[in-house]
Amino acid sequence: MTTVIKLKRGTTTPTTSNIVSGEIAVDTSAKKIYINDGGTVKLIGVGDVASSPQQVLIKNSSGTTIKVRVGLNAGGTTTLVKNSAGTTLNTVVGPFFNATELVEGPSSSGGSSTGKQTIFVPASAMTPTASNGCSSLTTVETTAGRPDMNVLDFGSSSDTHAQFQVAFPKSWNEGTVSFKAYWTVSSAVTTGVAWGLQGVAVSDNDTIDVAYGSTVVVTDDALNTTEDLCVTDESSSVTIAGTPAAEDMVFFRVFRDVSDANDDMTQDARLIGIKLFFTTDAGNDE
């Protein structure tokens, strides 16, 4: 003989007057399940996310709270958790949960969190441009047995350029990027330099003979010590020309902008590399 067990139910949120400690009740109107936990009524489950979403709080790795809605679909399986931008967050939500805060982080499958990412492009991965190029890659010894510097030298008499290219992951949001320049100088000076960056995206079966986007410049001053590492502030946003799309090749041109008011250094500025900042909106490249 089958025994039918029915939970207490009603059309409003239950109170301690309706259920004793340890007892469960269902709000059939809102499709929510509650429990009396030692005299406090707590929500432990929600219904169909499409008809009755439950708002919880999720914090990203920076501690910023992201408001999302989670729930169960009609089949009883766990739904995906998405933020207001529609980005799927790597958070597991079971059919019953007792939490007001969930933490966004790597998924159990090993995917990384979405958001701001970096990639470093060393000078050794760049080439002087065919026209108005900087000097060729030079290896400069500091002291024997210590780190050598692989640098591209940019003179002070005119703008000179180098090129590199990046195939960003599919998880890139195809938006703007920013950068920091890592550089040094061969003598002890305190004068300044200006570094410019441009970019253009090229898709499969498109011509590479296209114009770069607008230039963004970041400035910095030498530190009055030979071979000191200098790192610029992060630049403002660099808009990539060419309507970027997933799996595009993005060509970049970096140069010394000698016409900038801050660029008063008469010596060569030695570029060690560029750190690019970009944003992802997926946890992996699937």
Side-chain angles (χ1 to χ4, degrees), residues 126-154:
M126 305 178 188
T127 55
T129 55
S131 298
N132 303 315
C134 63
S135 298
S136 298
L137 185 71
T138 302
T139 298
V140 179
E141 184 179 49
T142 54
T143 299
R146 297 181 182 180
D148 294 330
M149 300 185 299
N150 295 305
V151 297
L152 293 172
D153 287 344
F154 292 75

Side-chain angles (χ1 to χ4, degrees), residues 187-203:
S187 56
V189 295
T190 58
T191 45
V193 69
W195 297 103
L197 188 71
Q198 304 166 282
V200 61
V202 178
S203 300

Side-chain angles (χ1 to χ4, degrees), residues 37-263:
D37 181 14
T40 302
V41 176
K42 296 180 179 179
L43 175 69
I44 60 172
V46 296
D48 186 356
V49 69
S51 60
S52 182
Q54 169 63 31
Q55 179 172 285
V56 299
L57 300 178
I58 287 183
K59 291 186 177 181
N60 63 18
S61 57
S62 300
T64 302
T65 298
I66 306 170
K67 292 184 178 180
V68 300
R69 295 186 183 277
V70 299
L72 304 178
N73 63 24
T77 58
T78 303
T79 62
L80 296 177
V81 181
K82 296 188 177 183
N83 62 18
S84 58
T87 302
T88 299
L89 303 175
N90 296 315
T91 305
V92 177
V93 179
F96 295 97
F97 58 91
N98 181 15
T100 56
E101 291 186 346
L102 302 175
V103 179
E104 175 189 2
S107 68
S108 59
S109 61
S112 61
S113 300
T114 59
K116 194 172 186 177
Q117 313 288 340
T118 64
I119 182 172
F120 185 77
V121 183
S124 57
M126 305 178 188
T127 55
T129 55
S131 298
N132 303 315
C134 63
S135 298
S136 298
L137 185 71
T138 302
T139 298
V140 179
E141 184 179 49
T142 54
T143 299
R146 297 181 182 180
D148 294 330
M149 300 185 299
N150 295 305
V151 297
L152 293 172
D153 287 344
F154 292 75
S156 61
S157 60
S158 63
D159 290 359
T160 50
H161 310 74
Q163 176 187 302
F164 63 94
Q165 48 276 342
V166 175
F168 285 104
K170 288 168 61 179
S171 55
W172 175 41
N173 69 352
E174 293 134 35
T176 60
V177 302
S178 55
F179 73 99
K180 289 184 177 182
Y182 287 64
W183 64 286
T184 188
V185 67
S186 60
S187 56
V189 295
T190 58
T191 45
V193 69
W195 297 103
L197 188 71
Q198 304 166 282
V200 61
V202 178
S203 300
D204 180 35
N205 201 33
D206 282 350
T207 180
I208 301 173
D209 186 6
V210 286
Y212 286 104
S214 300
T215 299
V216 170
V217 173
V218 64
T219 61
D220 200 15
D221 293 329
L223 302 172
N224 203 28
T225 304
T226 302
E227 297 176 347
D228 257 18
L229 175 65
C230 302
V231 182
T232 69
D233 291 335
E234 184 178 347
S235 73
S236 58
S237 297
V238 180
T239 299
I240 308 299
T243 313
E247 300 192 89
D248 275 5
M249 176 71 74
V250 181
F251 292 86
F252 289 96
R253 185 169 69 164
V254 58
F255 66 97
R256 180 177 175 181
D257 185 4
V258 300
S259 62
D260 186 273
N262 190 76
D263 198 308

